[in-house]
Amino acid sequence: MCKKSDISAEKFVSSQNDLRQNQNIMRKIISLATLALLLATATLTASAQEMMHIYPKTIKSGPFNTGHIQGIAVDTEKGYVYYSYTTILVKTDLQGNIIGSVTGLLGHLGCIDFNEEDGRVYGSLEYKNDVIGRGILKALGKEQEIKDAFYIVMFDVDKIDRMDMDAEKDGVMTAVFLKEVYDDFKGTGLNKAGEVVAHKYGCSGIDGTTIGPMPGADDGKQYLFVTYGVYRDENRADNDYQVMLCYDIADWAQYEQPLTQEAMHRNGPAAPTRKFFVFTGNTTYGVQNLEYDAYTNRFLMAVYRGFKPEYPNYDLYAVDAAVAPQVQDLQGLNEKGEVLTLAKAGKLHEASGVYGWNFPHGSTGLWAKGDGTYLISENHVGKTGQCSYIYEYAYDEARGFVINQ
């Protein structure tokens, strides 16, 4: 019995050892399989992330029952595109799939830009009782009168996750009032006959907006720039400059407030950090899209072309951001100002000394990738509303802007 028991014990111990060996082998197999699965998952995740940041040849958005496309902005890190459609802000992925929108604006939301430092979209928003402002209210079916006011608005775009979020009530938008713009819009100038006319510098409000460096500086500090809209008027000589305001927005938290359009606040800086002038000749409603391009170190200014015969009336101009502003007598104005230099690129109009391009796109959306390529929006009108087609362009000094096929 004892012998038999000893033999059974030996077999039991042997079987237990075999079991432990098998378990160790299985653990190694499972560990290797788990590692392989994790590596595969990581590869798939990386591929998915890479796919998110592939720009298609054409990004389509719309139709939306609102005003035409005004501007675009891109978050390259998270892979989103933002669109201003006059009274709404739209958020999509890079393939044009809609993520959400912000509505409820009764004013003109113009050019927009994405601020990489705080992850928000900045845009120009204006309210005024002129043909544009009244046209917006009529299109919205609104009858109330809106007071003249001009703001930079900041959208907390991470919160935009559904359609038709309310700009006033859903906590996605704050605003800073621009007193300088208001004062110039309400101010006066002189026409060629010496008669007093409305709007200093021909100011019709604001539109072009971008984040970029101080012209002539190399300290890396970023500022907010916003450009005036300028009324078309061939009978006055004080409206031949593009006016660009520069703001240091590092301390803007003290001014930011949600905007209630029935009782709009007036919180904002008393004056801009700097006020610049760019001589181009008169345009129709000034700079529609302003974009700092790190690749060329230029501020691109897309406009609706002007009609004064003494100027080239280009569609696109560029400020050389490497050149510091110079204080000069302003032509057609009895004052001095800080004048920025146009880049010596594009075509020179020798009579006026103005450089620029006859390039018909960019006024409804312009974004520089920083590598010599650009996303440029073209507005289209369908049967059911406004649309945008965004195309990729490349630039070189010899060919100018050429669409990438």
Side-chain angles (χ1 to χ4, degrees):
M1 290 292 296
C2 288
K3 190 173 183 180
K4 185 175 181 182
S5 297
D6 289 340
I7 293 172
S8 297
E10 288 175 1
K11 286 183 178 181
F12 175 77
V13 170
S14 176
S15 65
Q16 289 295 98
N17 288 336
D18 290 343
L19 179 60
R20 291 190 186 96
Q21 285 181 343
N22 290 336
Q23 288 175 335
N24 289 333
I25 291 170
M26 288 301 298
R27 288 192 189 99
K28 289 180 180 179
I29 292 172
I30 292 170
S31 297
L32 289 172
T34 302
L35 179 60
L37 179 60
L38 288 173
L39 289 172
T41 302
T43 302
L44 287 172
T45 302
S47 298
Q49 290 174 345
E50 290 171 2
M51 286 297 293
M52 280 181 60
H53 292 75
I54 292 175
Y55 297 86
K57 292 298 182 183
T58 306
I59 305 175
K60 298 180 181 180
S61 63
F64 299 104
N65 186 21
T66 180
H68 72 77
I69 181 74
Q70 300 284 338
I72 60 173
V74 181
D75 177 356
T76 56
E77 181 179 346
K78 295 181 179 178
Y80 294 119
V81 183
Y82 300 93
Y83 314 74
S84 163
Y85 272 95
T86 308
T87 55
I88 67 173
L89 182 81
V90 177
K91 176 182 180 180
T92 76
D93 63 20
L94 292 181
Q95 283 65 48
N97 301 306
I98 294 180
I99 307 299
S101 66
V102 179
T103 63
L105 295 174
L106 302 179
H108 178 284
L109 179 64
C111 178
I112 56 176
D113 197 23
F114 182 77
N115 185 359
E116 294 181 355
E117 292 188 358
D118 65 13
R120 297 188 295 176
V121 166
Y122 286 61
S124 61
L125 179 62
E126 59 177 22
Y127 299 86
K128 54 189 181 180
N129 287 302
D130 67 355
V131 63
I132 294 177
R134 290 190 296 271
I136 289 173
L137 290 175
K138 182 178 180 180
L140 292 171
K142 305 293 184 179
E143 296 182 356
Q144 66 260 49
E145 184 174 313
I146 296 293
K147 294 182 179 180
D148 298 326
F150 305 92
Y151 298 90
I152 290 295
V153 288
M154 288 70 64
F155 292 94
D156 188 348
V157 290
D158 287 341
K159 294 181 179 178
I160 301 176
D161 57 4
R162 64 186 186 276
M163 291 296 291
D164 300 325
M165 299 183 72
D166 190 277
E168 291 187 354
K169 301 174 182 177
D170 283 329
V172 294
M173 189 187 84
T174 54
V176 173
F177 180 71
L178 300 185
K179 182 179 182 297
E180 188 81 6
V181 183
Y182 180 85
D183 289 346
D184 285 345
F185 179 79
K186 290 293 191 180
T188 59
L190 297 175
N191 64 16
K192 292 179 179 178
E195 301 166 330
V196 175
V197 289
H199 313 297
K200 190 174 182 179
Y201 313 120
C203 174
S204 72
I206 50 175
D207 209 331
T209 308
T210 195
I211 307 289
M214 184 70 72
D218 58 0
D219 58 4
K221 183 174 174 58
Q222 300 291 290
Y223 297 83
L224 172 73
F225 296 85
V226 57
T227 42
Y228 282 7
V230 178
Y231 287 113
R232 171 190 170 184
D233 190 341
E234 291 89 72
N235 294 315
R236 57 192 293 177
D238 61 351
N239 61 352
D240 291 335
Y241 288 88
Q242 305 306 322
V243 183
M244 183 187 298
L245 304 183
C246 171
Y247 291 93
D248 184 350
I249 57 176
D251 64 346
W252 266 25
Q254 63 181 307
Y255 305 122
E256 288 187 40
Q257 281 193 6
L259 189 62
T260 301
Q261 293 169 113
E262 291 183 357
M264 294 186 288
H265 71 75
R266 292 292 189 268
N267 298 319
T273 305
R274 305 277 287 274
K275 188 174 189 176
F276 301 123
F277 298 84
V278 186
F279 186 75
T280 62
N282 184 230
T283 54
T284 303
Y285 292 120
V287 178
Q288 298 295 301
N289 266 244
L290 179 68
E291 175 72 358
Y292 174 69
D293 176 21
Y295 181 74
T296 59
N297 195 22
R298 297 169 182 166
F299 288 94
L300 297 172
M301 303 188 304
V303 307
Y304 296 151
R305 58 193 307 147
F307 290 88
K308 288 187 178 181
E310 62 266 38
Y311 299 116
N313 299 312
Y314 296 128
D315 307 282
L316 183 67
Y317 303 91
V319 170
D320 190 341
V323 181
Q326 302 293 321
V327 176
Q328 299 176 4
D329 292 322
L330 300 178
Q331 298 183 37
L333 292 153
N334 188 27
E335 62 180 277
K336 294 181 181 292
E338 290 194 89
V339 178
L340 298 176
T341 300
L342 287 175
K344 293 179 172 59
K347 186 178 180 180
L348 170 64
H349 182 253
E350 293 185 2
S352 63
V354 172
Y355 285 86
W357 292 268
N358 289 312
F359 180 68
H361 307 298
S363 60
T364 58
L366 171 62
W367 177 71
K369 290 185 183 180
D371 62 358
T373 60
Y374 307 81
L375 295 185
I376 297 179
S377 169
E378 298 180 17
N379 67 293
H380 294 266
V381 182
K383 292 181 178 179
T384 55
Q386 298 285 339
C387 305
S388 165
Y389 294 174
I390 296 176
Y391 302 101
E392 184 182 79
Y393 281 77
Y395 175 79
D396 64 47
E397 298 293 355
R399 299 185 303 158
F401 293 86
V402 181
I403 193 167
N404 277 340
Q405 298 293 339

